Amino acid sequence: MHNAYRQTVFRLTLGNGLELHLARQRPANMNSAKSLSRDVVYVHGSTFGSDLSIFYRVDDRSWADALNDAGFNAWGFDLIGYGQSDRYKNITGQPLGRAHDALPQLEAVIDTILAQNDNRPVVLLAHSWGAVIAAQYAAKQPQKIEKLVLFGPVVKRMPDKPNKALPTSFLAQFPLSVWAQYRRFVEDVPRGHVQVLSEAHMQHWGAAFLASDATANQRMPPSVMSPGGPLADIAELWSGKSLYDASLITTPTMIVRGEWDSVCKDQDAA
């Protein structure tokens, strides 16, 4: 852990007996009884957890560090099937880890945080497919959220004709290699643009990614098992099906997208 920041880890036991990994980061020089003024809860995307996103340091700086410096408690958790949370025990043919399965996990996380901060509403920050879970929560429990921030959200698209490129069935879970992740990270970079992700950064991140799954080196190439539910959710969204009622979201909301992002296009954000 970076000397300037301290992370506290919690293990939450869910109703199905599985355990969720939850972490809070704050500046190390704070008195243990003192709290920062606001709490940010991060919901990760479809293929890697919080340690590889909000808490991951590139050139000795993480997103959580920046949030701490801006006066926020930074909270991140791993959904079941990711990172340091439990893996699914009953592997069936149905895609695991769909948004409606993840929603109770987010509810448990926020209730845990509210129990520690005198029921002060949180800022909910979500990335990519995680925005579906955050939006479902915001539509259901707006009184517990101060603000909603969706970064590159996956949203409903109304296709002009049936999208035959989208599969209709998905595995319960599937292996994802570091090379596959690298292709995902750079696929939207315009042709001829200078390199935006160094090999050294990707090598270090890739090693941490493989370390997140104890079975990674049992496969060739080494790979992390990723729940198939998010892909099923995205297919439904891009086929015009709603996974939440956006009209119920009354919380002040900010949507952020990268200029090159093809998963969240400009018309999606609009």
Side-chain angles (χ1 to χ4, degrees), residues 27-218:
N29 60 1
M30 289 183 61
N31 184 294
S32 61
K34 182 180 177 182
S35 175
L36 293 173
S37 60
R38 298 158 84 187
D39 296 276
V40 172
V41 184
Y42 176 75
V43 186
H44 64 75
S46 64
T47 61
F48 52 90
S50 292
D51 280 354
L52 291 164
S53 47
I54 192 171
F55 295 127
Y56 188 79
R57 289 190 172 88
V58 176
D59 295 333
D60 204 34
R61 182 74 168 167
S62 74
W63 199 355
D65 296 347
L67 287 168
N68 285 167
D69 292 347
F72 295 94
N73 283 305
W75 295 84
F77 70 103
D78 298 332
L79 293 162
I80 296 299
Y82 297 88
Q84 298 183 59
S85 289
D86 283 349
R87 292 314 202 249
Y88 288 97
K89 296 178 180 178
N90 299 318
I91 308 302
T92 67
Q94 296 299 314
L96 295 168
R98 299 201 58 168
H100 60 78
D101 298 317
L103 179 58
Q105 300 172 44
L106 177 57
E107 291 175 332
V109 164
I110 293 182
D111 285 348
T112 297
I113 296 169
L114 295 183
Q116 298 188 30
N117 74 358
D118 296 323
N119 287 311
R120 182 177 62 228
V122 303
V123 176
L124 191 53
L125 167 63
H127 175 225
S128 191
W129 165 78
V132 179
I133 309 164
Q136 289 179 341
Y137 186 92
K140 184 178 180 182
Q141 303 204 55
Q143 74 281 5
K144 297 181 180 181
I145 303 175
E146 176 191 352
K147 296 183 186 298
L148 176 65
V149 182
L150 307 178
F151 168 48
V154 183
V155 301
K156 182 179 72 172
R157 292 177 182 173
M158 296 303 297
D160 295 331
K161 54 186 177 180
N163 195 334
K164 296 182 180 180
L166 290 173
T168 56
S169 62
F170 298 87
L171 298 172
Q173 55 184 358
F174 62 96
L176 195 57
S177 68
V178 172
W179 176 241
Q181 287 284 38
Y182 177 77
R183 291 199 304 269
R184 293 177 64 247
F185 291 165
V186 302
E187 63 184 356
D188 290 333
V189 178
R191 185 182 298 274
H193 195 279
V194 296
Q195 186 176 7
V196 297
L197 180 62
S198 76
E199 293 179 6
H201 286 153
M202 190 63 207
Q203 182 177 10
H204 287 114
W205 187 93
F209 175 64
L210 292 178
S212 70
D213 183 349
T215 69
N217 289 320
Q218 298 175 14

